[in-house]
Amino acid sequence: MDMDSASSVVLQTLTQATSQDTAVLKPAEEQLRQWETQPGFYSVLLNIFNNHVLDVNVRWLAVLYFKNGIDRYWRRVAPHALSEEEKTSLRAGLITNFNEPVNQIATQIAVLIAKVARLDCPRQWPDLIPILLESVKGQDGLQQHRALLTFYHVTKTLASKRLAQDRRLFQDLASGIYSFACSLWSHHTDCFLQQVYARDEAAALNSLERTLLSLKVLRKLTVHGFQEPQQNMEVMVSSILLCCVCREKLEKTIILYTKVLLDFLEYHPYAFIPLIQRSLEFAVSYVFTPAGEGVTFERFIVQCMNLIKMIVKNDAYKPAKNIDDSKPESLEAHKIKTAFFTHPTLTEIGRRLVSHYFLLTEEELTMWEEDPESFAVEEAGGDSWKYSLRPCTEVLFLDIFHNYSQTLTPVLLDMVQNLQGPTDVEDRVQLLMKDAVYNAVGLAAYELFDSVDFDQWFKNQLLGELQVTHHRYKLIRRRVIWLIGQWISVKFKSDLRPLLYELILGLMQDPDLVVRIETATTLKLNILLGFGFLTEQFLPYLESIFGLLFQLLQQVTECDTKMQVLHVISCVIERVNIQIRPYAGCLVQYLPLLWKQSEEHNMLRCAILTTLIHLVQGLGAESKNLYPFLLPVIQLSTDVTQPPHIYLLEDGLELWLVTLENSPAITPELLRIFQNMSALLELSAENLRTCFQIVNAYIYLAATEFLQNYGESLCRSFCDLLKDITNEGQVQVLKVVEIALKVSPVLGTHVFQSLLPAVFRGIVDGERYPVVMSTYLGIMGRVLLQNAGFFSSLLTQMASECSQEMDQLLGSVIEMWVDRMDNITQPERRKLSSLALLSLLPSDNSVIQDKFCGIISISLEALHDVMTEDPETGTYKDCMLMSHFEEPKLSEEEEPPTEQDKRKKLVSQTWKYRNTHIHTHTHTHTHTHRERERENFVDMKLFSTCSIHIFYFRL
């Protein structure tokens, strides 16, 4: 690409690519894509984004295209890789631009330099770090900041490399520049403090920005740059101890200090041991004593709690069960922890966690009143909740309680005792305290198992709490039903559950929405899924509870809340299965409307898909009435050309599968959905198993229509898959072929005939992976039994390809088959292989006759595998023979068979394969012992009197 003529053309195209007019935008983007592989294109882009006179949007786009090009074409082995000459020129050009005036572009340039550094530094780019260090020392403020920004991104990227050689290179780099990084951070920190005292706000903010960047560099060097970080402990400690006194951006600095401590503790726990005592004193002082009042802020408290938690539960600080096996460092750390966590300290921490940090805040109470759905979602673990103070507090409480339960159990029980009896609804402080204490008892349920008689507490105290209907008592009603849910799988008598279901019915009609949502959530997570759930106890309440859940689903408006309620409904349907049929009508009518309303909310649609999965399983064959809604949903969810498939695909495939399994008959619309499968087999490796199950379900449902319509394309997809797939994947593909041969022998053989030579070749070559070999033999056994003519033509074809005589090749196949029979572990497959080989014995072919003993030997072993003693007659019979009139009797706990289960049984009853039955002419023997059977069969004189009769049996 000629630089002079190219620059103006590329600049014009980039300008067009920033247009809002799609008619201008699309051609420009296409042209830029075509230029990506042209030599010189990235040099032009470099010149454009380095030209500060040009439009910012154009320069921004040039940087993005350059950055994307690094990912695609910078590596030597990449298709259309950049030449070494151009890369050398680009590297030189990138480190001349430390005066970028636009912050966003400067950040992108720093990131793309780091990307190049990850691939080329230090070998192909040895001068990068020296130039950066020199630029950081410069007096120009803008240049210094941009160089420091680049230095941080380069350090961050190099620190993330995990190969041993790369780690050694980074450690060499860290040892060389660590002192400089420390002095750089110290210099900027001093400047910042001086400017704060001088009340020079603008200069202080600039220095604070540089302080943060240099501290980020120092963090990466400290954590990832030293194999023995103790060697730099003085620098580390001096960095941590310095404190600042500003607000907003200063908080970021303080948080970064704590991150240094946390990272150091995570990656180098033994090196951190000298800091355990001081870290605990620091964190506990600010979080659990008056010293922190008025000076701490939420994120700082969270970090301090995380620091205490990581020290308490760190495995490196716990002695081994056998004290003699413990490391000296572990014993030292344990000694420090034991000395610090005294009874008074633990008591104060436990009480303050519950009585201070567990209390609902004014902000939370206001949210409950003004936006109850958002409050319920947050309390259930919403995204913002995960990063707030409350979950961190609860996790710390659990970890400390678990490790020091003997000390903290009496403390908590004393707090419970002080709150016994009803609480005055006008005493808000006591209501909030009871809510907090009950929260603690629920969290520590497993630790309190031996200390609390929950059944008695439920009957004597909690039951009465739930019956207080005053508006202000909703705090306690909500907390008590949550508390019961926490204890239900720990200690709760089964005979109390009907009483609990009565309470749930009442609470599902509570005037407060949060109480109703909490009751529904508790029903799902802790009652239906809890230990000791009995369906027969729940069924009398099913209609009422399901109706109230459906009302709640209609009442709530937020996407997250609807998801919560849908999950509960799914859980109910899954538990009661077919018992839901009389009550599902209202839900069936509502789901299409909810699906339409949730077009912009893919996670809600995932919840709808999950509900549909359980609903189809519960409705069974009746689910065909859902097809007008169900099939378009499956079509959209599994169409990889539709953007929502990213979220919906996994659940959509599961719904597709259960729809097929419960379908009473194929429909044109259900058959048409399979058009989506070809792309899925190419794209979704993680969902291949489900895809294969779907193919199998189609074969069982309508083998003829399915294979006639899609067999050819399916075979092509399988051929492509087998070229690049794991052994386990090969087995899954081959099992589909085997099922097709079983259900539709002639059509299955015709459709997959192009795959069978590879199967034949695998047998002859002695496939080493036993499961693959077992499947090969299963497929070839079915071909041999069901279509001997095709087997003969296949043998002829393979003999020609292998340049062997047919008899010689047949002998090799039989010999390998007999030799690898032990690879087949399933009795039905062993029997199938035996029958296939026995079917050859009537032939007068000398090769087959030579293998007679081997065939009889493995057939006898297979016979032993499938023979069981009849308890009534004392004789042995084939356990795999199935009567046409057998109807399995289901226990109360067993689920009724799906339509596919019935189809599988019908296939097993209908298809009859030839079996070789050997008996003597002289008289009929009833063999009651394996040893006598083996002796009789091994007797060659007896074999000479045997005749072979072919009859059909059911496999």
Side-chain angles (χ1 to χ4, degrees), residues 337-532:
K337 285 167 53 181
T338 303
F340 180 84
F341 287 112
T342 61
H343 189 281
T345 300
L346 286 169
T347 301
E348 181 60 27
I349 290 174
R351 285 190 176 275
R352 193 163 176 82
L353 276 171
V354 176
S355 63
H356 180 74
Y357 289 107
F358 276 20
L359 295 179
L360 289 173
T361 64
E362 284 296 329
E363 182 183 358
E364 290 169 327
L365 292 171
T366 302
M367 181 186 288
W368 186 333
E369 293 296 334
E370 297 178 357
D371 190 0
E373 285 192 48
S374 295
F375 176 82
V377 169
E378 290 297 307
E379 287 292 297
D383 289 338
S384 60
W385 183 88
K386 297 174 186 176
Y387 306 104
S388 65
L389 179 59
R390 182 171 301 283
C392 179
T393 305
E394 292 178 352
V395 170
L396 177 61
F397 173 81
L398 277 172
D399 287 330
I400 289 184
F401 206 99
H402 175 72
N403 284 276
Y404 302 101
S405 59
Q406 289 186 345
T407 301
L408 290 175
T409 294
V411 175
L412 183 56
L413 293 181
D414 180 62
M415 298 179 79
V416 173
Q417 188 62 39
N418 292 336
L419 293 168
Q420 286 297 310
T423 301
D424 185 358
V425 295
E426 302 297 332
D427 191 342
R428 189 186 187 197
V429 173
Q430 282 298 93
L431 288 174
L432 289 173
M433 182 61 70
K434 179 174 279 190
D435 174 80
V437 172
Y438 282 6
N439 186 16
V441 175
L443 292 172
Y446 285 97
E447 305 296 337
L448 295 171
F449 179 87
D450 294 321
S451 304
V452 174
D453 186 344
F454 190 80
D455 293 332
Q456 287 300 315
W457 193 33
F458 169 74
K459 289 184 288 188
N460 298 337
Q461 170 80 11
L462 301 181
L463 193 58
E465 306 261 35
L466 289 174
Q467 292 169 346
V468 179
T469 59
H470 195 280
H471 172 68
R472 292 194 184 95
Y473 221 74
K474 65 184 181 181
L475 278 170
I476 307 305
R477 292 197 301 274
R478 169 204 169 239
R479 182 57 70 188
V480 168
I481 192 61
W482 173 88
L483 173 64
I484 293 170
Q486 299 301 304
W487 275 85
I488 200 83
S489 58
V490 178
K491 184 188 286 187
F492 196 79
K493 287 183 179 178
S494 179
D495 55 10
L496 290 175
R497 282 181 181 265
L499 175 58
L500 181 57
Y501 296 145
E502 294 284 355
L503 293 172
I504 287 172
L505 276 175
L507 290 172
M508 286 292 294
Q509 301 171 74
D510 193 279
D512 186 79
L513 181 59
V514 173
V515 175
R516 298 200 299 275
I517 294 172
E518 186 65 64
T519 303
T521 304
T522 300
L523 176 69
K524 172 205 167 186
L525 294 178
N526 304 295
I527 297 177
L528 291 176
L529 301 180
F531 176 76

Side-chain angles (χ1 to χ4, degrees), residues 831 862-863 865-868 876-882 915 953-955:
K831 181 174 180 179
L863 180 65
D865 291 336
V866 300
M867 295 295 282
T868 56
Y876 285 87
K877 66 176 183 179
D878 189 341
C879 66
M880 301 183 68
L881 288 177
M882 187 185 302
N915 180 21
F953 85 110
R954 304 161 196 87
L955 182 57

Side-chain angles (χ1 to χ4, degrees), residues 754-816:
S754 59
L755 278 175
L756 295 178
V759 173
F760 194 99
R761 197 175 298 111
I763 296 173
V764 174
D765 295 341
E767 164 65 43
R768 289 186 299 174
Y769 190 62
V771 181
V772 175
M773 186 62 163
S774 171
T775 315
Y776 281 164
L777 295 176
I779 291 174
M780 202 51 60
R782 292 195 180 277
V783 172
L784 182 54
L785 272 175
Q786 298 165 177
N787 200 334
F790 180 83
F791 179 82
S792 179
S793 62
L794 179 62
L795 183 64
T796 303
Q797 175 189 340
M798 299 307 299
S800 175
E801 291 182 10
C802 299
S803 301
Q804 293 186 34
E805 293 294 330
M806 281 182 57
D807 286 352
Q808 180 186 358
L809 184 59
L810 178 60
S812 300
V813 169
I814 297 174
E815 186 174 342
M816 185 61 69

Side-chain angles (χ1 to χ4, degrees), residues 656-680:
W656 190 357
L657 177 60
V658 300
T659 300
L660 290 167
E661 289 176 340
N662 289 277
S663 176
I666 195 69
T667 68
E669 295 78 15
L670 187 55
L671 189 61
R672 195 176 302 123
I673 297 176
F674 196 79
Q675 294 172 358
N676 288 355
M677 184 58 71
S678 179
L680 289 168

